[in-house]
Amino acid sequence: MSTNKKLKIGLVGGGPGSFIGAIHLNGALMDGLFELAAGAFSSNPEKSKKRGEELRLNPSRVYSSYDEMFEKELQLPEDERIDVVVIVTPNNVHFDPTAKAIRAGFHVVLDKPLTLNYQEAKELYHIVSNSDRKFLLTHTYSGYPMIKQAKQMIEEGKLGKIHKVYVEYPQGWLYKLLEKEDNKQAEWRTDPKRNGMAGCMGDIGTHAFHLAEYVSGQKVEKICADLYIKVEGRPIDDDGVVLMRFENGASGVLMASQTDTGLENNLKIRVFGDKGGIEWQQEDNNSLIVRYPGQPAQIFRAGTGYLGSLAQENTRTPAGHPEGYVEAFANLYRNFARCIYAERNGETPKEEWKDFPGIEDGIRGMAFIEHVLKSTETEYKWTSFVVEK
């Protein structure tokens, strides 16, 4: 098998009208390292066929189910079959295709969260950990260059000992019962059977949690949570607040809402140490504000030569040319592909290439959901953050 051929993708989900499926494809295909070769785009065979036609795929590589895709792809010569399975389905269809793809010998890219519930997550953790296949969980926001700059500055001690983390993810799109208005995204994201028992906190709170640990370099040890249902008639939370205690003694506050009327997607993080602090927000994602006592605030910009190796490795354009959400996805896919290529060629990947979320991030995210739900339900709010595997 050629070690330098494009990696062939088999897509699970991403049928007609899919938001996240199109984003994944745009990110994966950006650098010419992947190509879409096959797909089981919907549980409805006609919809899967339609999406395959839209993407100009060979009809013989468009399947009615992911089971059929795995079975028939394995019958093809190794140079022709898919290499990577990308899964962009609702949360209740994460565990089964991921487990089967890994066992069949495919690498896997999975949209977060890891699974529908914590029990599935623990089982999947062992399946992935005991395999030699590579696994990417798309916590997209860790792909932004200036998030990587913040992470590296903190790793290098530029902020000193970290003592405070603020992270917030405010959205407003679920300010009313959109799930009753034939909005497919709202329907499944507010359905506990397809989304899981945590709504807003499982959907975007997990992103905020991952970003807090990723940037600060600290793991959460205890949490105190309150989840709310702001829109009457909704079965799961659409708003919440979590207090966090980190392993080094730092404290943190996490806020997530999908009912902050009029807001879009301005994920924001601030981290403070005993030497200085940083601030980043998605609506100005090419900037990182750095503050030190007695000095004017500094604005670090993407694409400049003074950034660290993590940001440099994940920047595509010169300063002043905006990069955004799709490029953040592309950074994760590119690093993932580079590690696969390095392994095939018997090479050691650069440390910067190995910087993408994996199974450890996935199970911590599911533990976060579990402990947030537990804390919300208990009168004594502080809950130890223990990750069972």
Side-chain angles (χ1 to χ4, degrees), residues 171-208:
Q171 295 179 342
W173 72 292
L174 289 178
Y175 72 100
K176 62 177 182 176
L177 284 174
L178 279 181
E179 54 268 43
K180 303 297 185 183
E181 299 180 11
D182 197 32
N183 184 304
K184 299 302 182 184
Q185 287 290 321
E187 282 178 14
W188 80 258
R189 291 180 191 275
T190 58
D191 178 2
K193 293 180 180 179
R194 288 183 284 174
N195 181 77
M197 295 307 296
C200 168
M201 202 54 69
D203 188 10
I204 61 175
T206 49
H207 274 309

Side-chain angles (χ1 to χ4, degrees), residues 128-145:
V128 174
S129 298
N130 292 326
S131 167
D132 63 355
R133 300 293 84 187
K134 296 200 179 298
F135 176 80
L136 164 63
L137 187 73
T138 52
H139 276 296
T140 318
Y141 307 101
S142 61
Y144 279 110

Side-chain angles (χ1 to χ4, degrees), residues 76-211:
L76 296 174
E78 195 170 359
D79 267 355
E80 296 179 21
R81 73 178 66 144
I82 59 174
D83 304 289
V84 179
V85 174
V86 175
I87 300 167
V88 292
T89 52
N91 305 347
N92 64 315
V93 193
H94 280 193
F95 173 83
D96 192 57
T98 302
K100 287 176 176 176
I102 290 287
R103 286 169 170 157
F106 300 117
H107 304 290
V108 171
V109 178
L110 175 64
D111 201 60
K112 68 86 226 159
L114 187 62
T115 50
L116 182 68
N117 56 55
Y118 196 23
Q119 187 57 44
E120 285 185 351
K122 289 185 281 187
E123 186 175 346
L124 190 58
Y125 176 86
H126 289 286
I127 293 170
V128 174
S129 298
N130 292 326
S131 167
D132 63 355
R133 300 293 84 187
K134 296 200 179 298
F135 176 80
L136 164 63
L137 187 73
T138 52
H139 276 296
T140 318
Y141 307 101
S142 61
Y144 279 110
M146 302 315 289
I147 282 293
K148 293 188 179 295
Q149 176 67 17
K151 173 185 174 64
Q152 189 165 6
M153 290 180 71
I154 290 171
E155 284 179 345
E156 293 173 350
K158 299 291 177 63
L159 303 189
K161 182 182 178 182
I162 301 304
H163 58 70
K164 190 74 175 185
V165 179
Y166 299 92
V167 61
E168 58 184 89
Y169 199 157
Q171 295 179 342
W173 72 292
L174 289 178
Y175 72 100
K176 62 177 182 176
L177 284 174
L178 279 181
E179 54 268 43
K180 303 297 185 183
E181 299 180 11
D182 197 32
N183 184 304
K184 299 302 182 184
Q185 287 290 321
E187 282 178 14
W188 80 258
R189 291 180 191 275
T190 58
D191 178 2
K193 293 180 180 179
R194 288 183 284 174
N195 181 77
M197 295 307 296
C200 168
M201 202 54 69
D203 188 10
I204 61 175
T206 49
H207 274 309
F209 169 75
H210 178 260
L211 203 64

